[in-house]
PDB file of all heavy atoms in Angstrom:
ATOM      1  N   GLN A 834      22.110 -37.066  -5.579  1.00  0.00           N
ATOM      2  CA  GLN A 834      23.103 -36.943  -4.509  1.00  0.00           C
ATOM      3  C   GLN A 834      24.530 -36.843  -5.035  1.00  0.00           C
ATOM      4  O   GLN A 834      25.422 -36.384  -4.327  1.00  0.00           O
ATOM      5  CB  GLN A 834      22.999 -38.140  -3.558  1.00  0.00           C
ATOM      6  CG  GLN A 834      21.699 -38.233  -2.799  1.00  0.00           C
ATOM      7  CD  GLN A 834      21.507 -37.118  -1.790  1.00  0.00           C
ATOM      8  OE1 GLN A 834      22.464 -36.495  -1.321  1.00  0.00           O
ATOM      9  NE2 GLN A 834      20.258 -36.828  -1.456  1.00  0.00           N
ATOM     10  N   ALA A 835      24.756 -37.280  -6.264  1.00  0.00           N
ATOM     11  CA  ALA A 835      26.126 -37.365  -6.790  1.00  0.00           C
ATOM     12  C   ALA A 835      26.583 -36.113  -7.527  1.00  0.00           C
ATOM     13  O   ALA A 835      27.764 -35.744  -7.468  1.00  0.00           O
ATOM     14  CB  ALA A 835      26.232 -38.574  -7.724  1.00  0.00           C
ATOM     15  N   TYR A 836      25.651 -35.451  -8.242  1.00  0.00           N
ATOM     16  CA  TYR A 836      26.054 -34.298  -9.060  1.00  0.00           C
ATOM     17  C   TYR A 836      26.611 -33.190  -8.153  1.00  0.00           C
ATOM     18  O   TYR A 836      25.977 -32.779  -7.186  1.00  0.00           O
ATOM     19  CB  TYR A 836      24.862 -33.768  -9.858  1.00  0.00           C
ATOM     20  CG  TYR A 836      25.221 -32.604 -10.762  1.00  0.00           C
ATOM     21  CD1 TYR A 836      25.965 -32.806 -11.916  1.00  0.00           C
ATOM     22  CD2 TYR A 836      24.844 -31.301 -10.444  1.00  0.00           C
ATOM     23  CE1 TYR A 836      26.316 -31.748 -12.741  1.00  0.00           C
ATOM     24  CE2 TYR A 836      25.187 -30.232 -11.263  1.00  0.00           C
ATOM     25  CZ  TYR A 836      25.937 -30.463 -12.409  1.00  0.00           C
ATOM     26  OH  TYR A 836      26.295 -29.405 -13.216  1.00  0.00           O
ATOM     27  N   GLY A 837      27.804 -32.745  -8.475  1.00  0.00           N
ATOM     28  CA  GLY A 837      28.471 -31.726  -7.653  1.00  0.00           C
ATOM     29  C   GLY A 837      29.310 -32.307  -6.527  1.00  0.00           C
ATOM     30  O   GLY A 837      30.052 -31.584  -5.869  1.00  0.00           O
ATOM     31  N   GLN A 838      29.193 -33.621  -6.303  1.00  0.00           N
ATOM     32  CA  GLN A 838      29.978 -34.289  -5.256  1.00  0.00           C
ATOM     33  C   GLN A 838      31.059 -35.193  -5.838  1.00  0.00           C
ATOM     34  O   GLN A 838      32.098 -35.400  -5.217  1.00  0.00           O
ATOM     35  CB  GLN A 838      29.062 -35.130  -4.358  1.00  0.00           C
ATOM     36  CG  GLN A 838      28.215 -34.332  -3.387  1.00  0.00           C
ATOM     37  CD  GLN A 838      29.030 -33.763  -2.225  1.00  0.00           C
ATOM     38  OE1 GLN A 838      29.661 -32.722  -2.357  1.00  0.00           O
ATOM     39  NE2 GLN A 838      29.029 -34.446  -1.108  1.00  0.00           N
ATOM     40  N   VAL A 839      30.790 -35.755  -7.006  1.00  0.00           N
ATOM     41  CA  VAL A 839      31.763 -36.615  -7.686  1.00  0.00           C
ATOM     42  C   VAL A 839      31.782 -36.241  -9.169  1.00  0.00           C
ATOM     43  O   VAL A 839      30.774 -35.796  -9.708  1.00  0.00           O
ATOM     44  CB  VAL A 839      31.425 -38.118  -7.521  1.00  0.00           C
ATOM     45  CG1 VAL A 839      31.540 -38.548  -6.075  1.00  0.00           C
ATOM     46  CG2 VAL A 839      30.032 -38.436  -8.051  1.00  0.00           C
ATOM     47  N   PRO A 840      32.924 -36.412  -9.850  1.00  0.00           N
ATOM     48  CA  PRO A 840      32.977 -36.098 -11.282  1.00  0.00           C
ATOM     49  C   PRO A 840      32.075 -37.036 -12.087  1.00  0.00           C
ATOM     50  O   PRO A 840      32.007 -38.233 -11.808  1.00  0.00           O
ATOM     51  CB  PRO A 840      34.456 -36.322 -11.643  1.00  0.00           C
ATOM     52  CG  PRO A 840      35.191 -36.332 -10.338  1.00  0.00           C
ATOM     53  CD  PRO A 840      34.225 -36.855  -9.319  1.00  0.00           C
ATOM     54  N   ILE A 841      31.373 -36.477 -13.069  1.00  0.00           N
ATOM     55  CA  ILE A 841      30.477 -37.268 -13.920  1.00  0.00           C
ATOM     56  C   ILE A 841      30.727 -36.881 -15.378  1.00  0.00           C
ATOM     57  O   ILE A 841      30.701 -35.697 -15.722  1.00  0.00           O
ATOM     58  CB  ILE A 841      28.992 -37.011 -13.581  1.00  0.00           C
ATOM     59  CG1 ILE A 841      28.691 -37.366 -12.110  1.00  0.00           C
ATOM     60  CG2 ILE A 841      28.074 -37.803 -14.514  1.00  0.00           C
ATOM     61  CD1 ILE A 841      27.279 -36.997 -11.661  1.00  0.00           C
ATOM     62  N   ASN A 842      30.954 -37.893 -16.219  1.00  0.00           N
ATOM     63  CA  ASN A 842      31.030 -37.675 -17.664  1.00  0.00           C
ATOM     64  C   ASN A 842      30.071 -38.666 -18.324  1.00  0.00           C
ATOM     65  O   ASN A 842      30.295 -39.880 -18.277  1.00  0.00           O
ATOM     66  CB  ASN A 842      32.456 -37.870 -18.185  1.00  0.00           C
ATOM     67  CG  ASN A 842      32.570 -37.542 -19.668  1.00  0.00           C
ATOM     68  OD1 ASN A 842      31.981 -38.209 -20.518  1.00  0.00           O
ATOM     69  ND2 ASN A 842      33.323 -36.501 -20.000  1.00  0.00           N
ATOM     70  N   VAL A 843      29.000 -38.163 -18.905  1.00  0.00           N
ATOM     71  CA  VAL A 843      27.927 -39.037 -19.394  1.00  0.00           C
ATOM     72  C   VAL A 843      28.363 -39.903 -20.567  1.00  0.00           C
ATOM     73  O   VAL A 843      27.866 -41.026 -20.735  1.00  0.00           O
ATOM     74  CB  VAL A 843      26.652 -38.232 -19.754  1.00  0.00           C
ATOM     75  CG1 VAL A 843      26.002 -37.677 -18.501  1.00  0.00           C
ATOM     76  CG2 VAL A 843      26.954 -37.118 -20.756  1.00  0.00           C
ATOM     77  N   ASP A 844      29.295 -39.411 -21.389  1.00  0.00           N
ATOM     78  CA  ASP A 844      29.767 -40.225 -22.520  1.00  0.00           C
ATOM     79  C   ASP A 844      30.674 -41.349 -22.040  1.00  0.00           C
ATOM     80  O   ASP A 844      30.508 -42.505 -22.434  1.00  0.00           O
ATOM     81  CB  ASP A 844      30.499 -39.354 -23.546  1.00  0.00           C
ATOM     82  CG  ASP A 844      29.539 -38.541 -24.401  1.00  0.00           C
ATOM     83  OD1 ASP A 844      28.336 -38.896 -24.432  1.00  0.00           O
ATOM     84  OD2 ASP A 844      29.969 -37.557 -25.013  1.00  0.00           O
ATOM     85  N   GLU A 845      31.630 -41.018 -21.186  1.00  0.00           N
ATOM     86  CA  GLU A 845      32.551 -42.038 -20.667  1.00  0.00           C
ATOM     87  C   GLU A 845      31.800 -43.108 -19.875  1.00  0.00           C
ATOM     88  O   GLU A 845      32.208 -44.272 -19.847  1.00  0.00           O
ATOM     89  CB  GLU A 845      33.610 -41.391 -19.776  1.00  0.00           C
ATOM     90  CG  GLU A 845      34.635 -40.566 -20.524  1.00  0.00           C
ATOM     91  CD  GLU A 845      35.615 -39.871 -19.591  1.00  0.00           C
ATOM     92  OE1 GLU A 845      35.601 -40.166 -18.368  1.00  0.00           O
ATOM     93  OE2 GLU A 845      36.405 -39.038 -20.078  1.00  0.00           O
ATOM     94  N   MET A 846      30.701 -42.707 -19.224  1.00  0.00           N
ATOM     95  CA  MET A 846      29.950 -43.635 -18.371  1.00  0.00           C
ATOM     96  C   MET A 846      28.751 -44.264 -19.077  1.00  0.00           C
ATOM     97  O   MET A 846      27.992 -45.010 -18.458  1.00  0.00           O
ATOM     98  CB  MET A 846      29.493 -42.902 -17.106  1.00  0.00           C
ATOM     99  CG  MET A 846      30.644 -42.448 -16.232  1.00  0.00           C
ATOM    100  SD  MET A 846      30.078 -41.512 -14.789  1.00  0.00           S
ATOM    101  CE  MET A 846      31.617 -41.397 -13.855  1.00  0.00           C
ATOM    102  N   ASN A 847      28.577 -43.945 -20.377  1.00  0.00           N
ATOM    103  CA  ASN A 847      27.466 -44.515 -21.170  1.00  0.00           C
ATOM    104  C   ASN A 847      26.104 -44.270 -20.520  1.00  0.00           C
ATOM    105  O   ASN A 847      25.251 -45.164 -20.472  1.00  0.00           O
ATOM    106  CB  ASN A 847      27.690 -46.019 -21.383  1.00  0.00           C
ATOM    107  CG  ASN A 847      28.953 -46.320 -22.163  1.00  0.00           C
ATOM    108  OD1 ASN A 847      29.084 -45.927 -23.312  1.00  0.00           O
ATOM    109  ND2 ASN A 847      29.904 -46.979 -21.523  1.00  0.00           N
ATOM    110  N   ILE A 848      25.912 -43.057 -20.010  1.00  0.00           N
ATOM    111  CA  ILE A 848      24.636 -42.691 -19.387  1.00  0.00           C
ATOM    112  C   ILE A 848      23.734 -42.075 -20.451  1.00  0.00           C
ATOM    113  O   ILE A 848      24.138 -41.148 -21.156  1.00  0.00           O
ATOM    114  CB  ILE A 848      24.860 -41.693 -18.227  1.00  0.00           C
ATOM    115  CG1 ILE A 848      25.698 -42.344 -17.116  1.00  0.00           C
ATOM    116  CG2 ILE A 848      23.535 -41.188 -17.672  1.00  0.00           C
ATOM    117  CD1 ILE A 848      26.222 -41.344 -16.080  1.00  0.00           C
ATOM    118  N   ASP A 849      22.511 -42.574 -20.566  1.00  0.00           N
ATOM    119  CA  ASP A 849      21.562 -42.048 -21.552  1.00  0.00           C
ATOM    120  C   ASP A 849      20.671 -40.958 -20.979  1.00  0.00           C
ATOM    121  O   ASP A 849      20.236 -40.057 -21.697  1.00  0.00           O
ATOM    122  CB  ASP A 849      20.686 -43.182 -22.095  1.00  0.00           C
ATOM    123  CG  ASP A 849      21.499 -44.210 -22.865  1.00  0.00           C
ATOM    124  OD1 ASP A 849      22.202 -43.812 -23.812  1.00  0.00           O
ATOM    125  OD2 ASP A 849      21.447 -45.399 -22.508  1.00  0.00           O
ATOM    126  N   MET A 850      20.351 -41.063 -19.670  1.00  0.00           N
ATOM    127  CA  MET A 850      19.541 -40.046 -18.992  1.00  0.00           C
ATOM    128  C   MET A 850      20.039 -39.898 -17.569  1.00  0.00           C
ATOM    129  O   MET A 850      20.404 -40.898 -16.932  1.00  0.00           O
ATOM    130  CB  MET A 850      18.056 -40.444 -18.995  1.00  0.00           C
ATOM    131  CG  MET A 850      17.402 -40.386 -20.365  1.00  0.00           C
ATOM    132  SD  MET A 850      15.750 -41.145 -20.365  1.00  0.00           S
ATOM    133  CE  MET A 850      16.185 -42.889 -20.391  1.00  0.00           C
ATOM    134  N   LEU A 851      20.038 -38.660 -17.066  1.00  0.00           N
ATOM    135  CA  LEU A 851      20.548 -38.399 -15.717  1.00  0.00           C
ATOM    136  C   LEU A 851      19.724 -37.299 -15.063  1.00  0.00           C
ATOM    137  O   LEU A 851      19.457 -36.261 -15.667  1.00  0.00           O
ATOM    138  CB  LEU A 851      22.027 -37.988 -15.793  1.00  0.00           C
ATOM    139  CG  LEU A 851      22.742 -37.659 -14.488  1.00  0.00           C
ATOM    140  CD1 LEU A 851      24.204 -38.111 -14.555  1.00  0.00           C
ATOM    141  CD2 LEU A 851      22.696 -36.166 -14.164  1.00  0.00           C
ATOM    142  N   SER A 852      19.307 -37.544 -13.815  1.00  0.00           N
ATOM    143  CA  SER A 852      18.485 -36.598 -13.057  1.00  0.00           C
ATOM    144  C   SER A 852      19.314 -35.882 -12.001  1.00  0.00           C
ATOM    145  O   SER A 852      20.189 -36.492 -11.378  1.00  0.00           O
ATOM    146  CB  SER A 852      17.346 -37.334 -12.330  1.00  0.00           C
ATOM    147  OG  SER A 852      16.637 -38.172 -13.204  1.00  0.00           O
ATOM    148  N   SER A 853      18.980 -34.603 -11.782  1.00  0.00           N
ATOM    149  CA  SER A 853      19.664 -33.838 -10.738  1.00  0.00           C
ATOM    150  C   SER A 853      18.721 -32.801 -10.159  1.00  0.00           C
ATOM    151  O   SER A 853      17.664 -32.513 -10.720  1.00  0.00           O
ATOM    152  CB  SER A 853      20.911 -33.161 -11.320  1.00  0.00           C
ATOM    153  OG  SER A 853      21.528 -32.334 -10.361  1.00  0.00           O
ATOM    154  N   SER A 854      19.103 -32.234  -9.011  1.00  0.00           N
ATOM    155  CA  SER A 854      18.269 -31.246  -8.317  1.00  0.00           C
ATOM    156  C   SER A 854      19.149 -30.167  -7.694  1.00  0.00           C
ATOM    157  O   SER A 854      20.146 -30.481  -7.042  1.00  0.00           O
ATOM    158  CB  SER A 854      17.449 -31.942  -7.228  1.00  0.00           C
ATOM    159  OG  SER A 854      16.553 -31.044  -6.626  1.00  0.00           O
ATOM    160  N   ALA A 855      18.760 -28.908  -7.882  1.00  0.00           N
ATOM    161  CA  ALA A 855      19.616 -27.791  -7.477  1.00  0.00           C
ATOM    162  C   ALA A 855      19.796 -27.663  -5.969  1.00  0.00           C
ATOM    163  O   ALA A 855      20.864 -27.273  -5.493  1.00  0.00           O
ATOM    164  CB  ALA A 855      19.041 -26.476  -8.031  1.00  0.00           C
ATOM    165  N   HIS A 856      18.750 -27.982  -5.201  1.00  0.00           N
ATOM    166  CA  HIS A 856      18.825 -27.676  -3.769  1.00  0.00           C
ATOM    167  C   HIS A 856      19.745 -28.612  -2.996  1.00  0.00           C
ATOM    168  O   HIS A 856      19.983 -28.411  -1.811  1.00  0.00           O
ATOM    169  CB  HIS A 856      17.425 -27.638  -3.144  1.00  0.00           C
ATOM    170  CG  HIS A 856      16.785 -28.971  -2.915  1.00  0.00           C
ATOM    171  ND1 HIS A 856      16.721 -29.550  -1.673  1.00  0.00           N
ATOM    172  CD2 HIS A 856      16.170 -29.825  -3.764  1.00  0.00           C
ATOM    173  CE1 HIS A 856      16.090 -30.717  -1.760  1.00  0.00           C
ATOM    174  NE2 HIS A 856      15.745 -30.894  -3.028  1.00  0.00           N
ATOM    175  N   LYS A 857      20.319 -29.612  -3.680  1.00  0.00           N
ATOM    176  CA  LYS A 857      21.308 -30.478  -3.032  1.00  0.00           C
ATOM    177  C   LYS A 857      22.720 -29.899  -3.132  1.00  0.00           C
ATOM    178  O   LYS A 857      23.638 -30.392  -2.484  1.00  0.00           O
ATOM    179  CB  LYS A 857      21.308 -31.871  -3.673  1.00  0.00           C
ATOM    180  CG  LYS A 857      19.945 -32.551  -3.722  1.00  0.00           C
ATOM    181  CD  LYS A 857      19.380 -32.889  -2.361  1.00  0.00           C
ATOM    182  CE  LYS A 857      18.120 -33.735  -2.511  1.00  0.00           C
ATOM    183  NZ  LYS A 857      17.507 -34.097  -1.228  1.00  0.00           N
ATOM    184  N   ILE A 858      22.890 -28.851  -3.963  1.00  0.00           N
ATOM    185  CA  ILE A 858      24.232 -28.284  -4.158  1.00  0.00           C
ATOM    186  C   ILE A 858      24.230 -26.774  -3.890  1.00  0.00           C
ATOM    187  O   ILE A 858      24.888 -26.016  -4.591  1.00  0.00           O
ATOM    188  CB  ILE A 858      24.802 -28.603  -5.556  1.00  0.00           C
ATOM    189  CG1 ILE A 858      23.880 -28.075  -6.676  1.00  0.00           C
ATOM    190  CG2 ILE A 858      25.033 -30.096  -5.727  1.00  0.00           C
ATOM    191  CD1 ILE A 858      24.557 -28.035  -8.042  1.00  0.00           C
ATOM    192  N   ASN A 859      23.492 -26.365  -2.861  1.00  0.00           N
ATOM    193  CA  ASN A 859      23.421 -24.950  -2.459  1.00  0.00           C
ATOM    194  C   ASN A 859      22.736 -24.067  -3.485  1.00  0.00           C
ATOM    195  O   ASN A 859      23.015 -22.872  -3.588  1.00  0.00           O
ATOM    196  CB  ASN A 859      24.815 -24.398  -2.118  1.00  0.00           C
ATOM    197  CG  ASN A 859      25.506 -25.193  -1.027  1.00  0.00           C
ATOM    198  OD1 ASN A 859      26.449 -25.934  -1.296  1.00  0.00           O
ATOM    199  ND2 ASN A 859      25.010 -25.071   0.192  1.00  0.00           N
ATOM    200  N   GLY A 860      21.818 -24.677  -4.254  1.00  0.00           N
ATOM    201  CA  GLY A 860      20.987 -23.926  -5.179  1.00  0.00           C
ATOM    202  C   GLY A 860      19.569 -23.827  -4.642  1.00  0.00           C
ATOM    203  O   GLY A 860      19.273 -24.269  -3.524  1.00  0.00           O
ATOM    204  N   PRO A 861      18.653 -23.268  -5.435  1.00  0.00           N
ATOM    205  CA  PRO A 861      17.267 -23.096  -4.979  1.00  0.00           C
ATOM    206  C   PRO A 861      16.455 -24.385  -5.093  1.00  0.00           C
ATOM    207  O   PRO A 861      16.793 -25.289  -5.859  1.00  0.00           O
ATOM    208  CB  PRO A 861      16.717 -22.044  -5.945  1.00  0.00           C
ATOM    209  CG  PRO A 861      17.517 -22.243  -7.203  1.00  0.00           C
ATOM    210  CD  PRO A 861      18.887 -22.677  -6.765  1.00  0.00           C
ATOM    211  N   LYS A 862      15.383 -24.455  -4.337  1.00  0.00           N
ATOM    212  CA  LYS A 862      14.433 -25.564  -4.452  1.00  0.00           C
ATOM    213  C   LYS A 862      13.524 -25.326  -5.661  1.00  0.00           C
ATOM    214  O   LYS A 862      13.357 -24.197  -6.104  1.00  0.00           O
ATOM    215  CB  LYS A 862      13.607 -25.689  -3.170  1.00  0.00           C
ATOM    216  CG  LYS A 862      14.431 -26.060  -1.943  1.00  0.00           C
ATOM    217  CD  LYS A 862      13.600 -26.029  -0.683  1.00  0.00           C
ATOM    218  CE  LYS A 862      14.442 -26.385   0.536  1.00  0.00           C
ATOM    219  NZ  LYS A 862      15.490 -25.383   0.827  1.00  0.00           N
ATOM    220  N   GLY A 863      12.925 -26.409  -6.158  1.00  0.00           N
ATOM    221  CA  GLY A 863      11.949 -26.279  -7.234  1.00  0.00           C
ATOM    222  C   GLY A 863      12.525 -26.238  -8.632  1.00  0.00           C
ATOM    223  O   GLY A 863      11.837 -25.879  -9.578  1.00  0.00           O
ATOM    224  N   ILE A 864      13.811 -26.629  -8.780  1.00  0.00           N
ATOM    225  CA  ILE A 864      14.401 -26.681 -10.111  1.00  0.00           C
ATOM    226  C   ILE A 864      15.404 -27.836 -10.161  1.00  0.00           C
ATOM    227  O   ILE A 864      16.131 -28.091  -9.202  1.00  0.00           O
ATOM    228  CB  ILE A 864      15.090 -25.339 -10.500  1.00  0.00           C
ATOM    229  CG1 ILE A 864      15.541 -25.347 -11.960  1.00  0.00           C
ATOM    230  CG2 ILE A 864      16.239 -25.015  -9.548  1.00  0.00           C
ATOM    231  CD1 ILE A 864      14.421 -25.317 -12.956  1.00  0.00           C
ATOM    232  N   GLY A 865      15.385 -28.555 -11.272  1.00  0.00           N
ATOM    233  CA  GLY A 865      16.337 -29.634 -11.487  1.00  0.00           C
ATOM    234  C   GLY A 865      16.713 -29.661 -12.954  1.00  0.00           C
ATOM    235  O   GLY A 865      16.336 -28.774 -13.717  1.00  0.00           O
ATOM    236  N   PHE A 866      17.492 -30.671 -13.344  1.00  0.00           N
ATOM    237  CA  PHE A 866      17.696 -30.878 -14.774  1.00  0.00           C
ATOM    238  C   PHE A 866      17.611 -32.362 -15.077  1.00  0.00           C
ATOM    239  O   PHE A 866      17.845 -33.220 -14.215  1.00  0.00           O
ATOM    240  CB  PHE A 866      19.009 -30.267 -15.290  1.00  0.00           C
ATOM    241  CG  PHE A 866      20.282 -31.005 -14.934  1.00  0.00           C
ATOM    242  CD1 PHE A 866      20.631 -32.195 -15.553  1.00  0.00           C
ATOM    243  CD2 PHE A 866      21.163 -30.478 -13.995  1.00  0.00           C
ATOM    244  CE1 PHE A 866      21.807 -32.862 -15.238  1.00  0.00           C
ATOM    245  CE2 PHE A 866      22.341 -31.129 -13.668  1.00  0.00           C
ATOM    246  CZ  PHE A 866      22.670 -32.329 -14.288  1.00  0.00           C
ATOM    247  N   LEU A 867      17.244 -32.643 -16.309  1.00  0.00           N
ATOM    248  CA  LEU A 867      17.284 -34.005 -16.840  1.00  0.00           C
ATOM    249  C   LEU A 867      18.148 -33.969 -18.094  1.00  0.00           C
ATOM    250  O   LEU A 867      17.861 -33.216 -19.025  1.00  0.00           O
ATOM    251  CB  LEU A 867      15.888 -34.521 -17.180  1.00  0.00           C
ATOM    252  CG  LEU A 867      15.836 -35.937 -17.790  1.00  0.00           C
ATOM    253  CD1 LEU A 867      16.346 -36.983 -16.806  1.00  0.00           C
ATOM    254  CD2 LEU A 867      14.418 -36.288 -18.244  1.00  0.00           C
ATOM    255  N   TYR A 868      19.214 -34.748 -18.077  1.00  0.00           N
ATOM    256  CA  TYR A 868      20.017 -34.945 -19.278  1.00  0.00           C
ATOM    257  C   TYR A 868      19.383 -36.080 -20.074  1.00  0.00           C
ATOM    258  O   TYR A 868      19.096 -37.152 -19.526  1.00  0.00           O
ATOM    259  CB  TYR A 868      21.462 -35.297 -18.899  1.00  0.00           C
ATOM    260  CG  TYR A 868      22.205 -36.046 -19.981  1.00  0.00           C
ATOM    261  CD1 TYR A 868      22.659 -35.392 -21.123  1.00  0.00           C
ATOM    262  CD2 TYR A 868      22.438 -37.419 -19.871  1.00  0.00           C
ATOM    263  CE1 TYR A 868      23.320 -36.085 -22.136  1.00  0.00           C
ATOM    264  CE2 TYR A 868      23.099 -38.120 -20.873  1.00  0.00           C
ATOM    265  CZ  TYR A 868      23.535 -37.450 -22.000  1.00  0.00           C
ATOM    266  OH  TYR A 868      24.173 -38.136 -23.000  1.00  0.00           O
ATOM    267  N   ILE A 869      19.139 -35.828 -21.357  1.00  0.00           N
ATOM    268  CA  ILE A 869      18.607 -36.854 -22.254  1.00  0.00           C
ATOM    269  C   ILE A 869      19.536 -36.925 -23.463  1.00  0.00           C
ATOM    270  O   ILE A 869      19.650 -35.956 -24.228  1.00  0.00           O
ATOM    271  CB  ILE A 869      17.168 -36.527 -22.737  1.00  0.00           C
ATOM    272  CG1 ILE A 869      16.231 -36.263 -21.545  1.00  0.00           C
ATOM    273  CG2 ILE A 869      16.626 -37.661 -23.604  1.00  0.00           C
ATOM    274  CD1 ILE A 869      14.847 -35.759 -21.950  1.00  0.00           C
ATOM    275  N   ARG A 870      20.206 -38.045 -23.620  1.00  0.00           N
ATOM    276  CA  ARG A 870      21.133 -38.202 -24.741  1.00  0.00           C
ATOM    277  C   ARG A 870      20.420 -38.016 -26.074  1.00  0.00           C
ATOM    278  O   ARG A 870      19.278 -38.483 -26.249  1.00  0.00           O
ATOM    279  CB  ARG A 870      21.779 -39.590 -24.692  1.00  0.00           C
ATOM    280  CG  ARG A 870      22.798 -39.838 -25.813  1.00  0.00           C
ATOM    281  CD  ARG A 870      23.393 -41.229 -25.759  1.00  0.00           C
ATOM    282  NE  ARG A 870      24.170 -41.444 -24.543  1.00  0.00           N
ATOM    283  CZ  ARG A 870      25.430 -41.001 -24.369  1.00  0.00           C
ATOM    284  NH1 ARG A 870      26.020 -40.307 -25.325  1.00  0.00           N
ATOM    285  NH2 ARG A 870      26.071 -41.231 -23.246  1.00  0.00           N
ATOM    286  N   LYS A 871      21.072 -37.342 -27.000  1.00  0.00           N
ATOM    287  CA  LYS A 871      20.516 -37.144 -28.335  1.00  0.00           C
ATOM    288  C   LYS A 871      20.190 -38.502 -28.959  1.00  0.00           C
ATOM    289  O   LYS A 871      21.008 -39.423 -28.922  1.00  0.00           O
ATOM    290  CB  LYS A 871      21.521 -36.392 -29.215  1.00  0.00           C
ATOM    291  CG  LYS A 871      20.971 -36.028 -30.587  1.00  0.00           C
ATOM    292  CD  LYS A 871      22.015 -35.285 -31.411  1.00  0.00           C
ATOM    293  CE  LYS A 871      21.467 -34.962 -32.789  1.00  0.00           C
ATOM    294  NZ  LYS A 871      22.479 -34.305 -33.645  1.00  0.00           N
TER     295      LYS A 871
END
């Protein structure tokens, strides 16, 4: 719900993994992304 609605910086926020979905931001259904820190 947050991606595309509020600014996110994974390093500043110490996030190791983050989930998102395209159809919540005027994109297509059936695709998302997972950020996985190196």
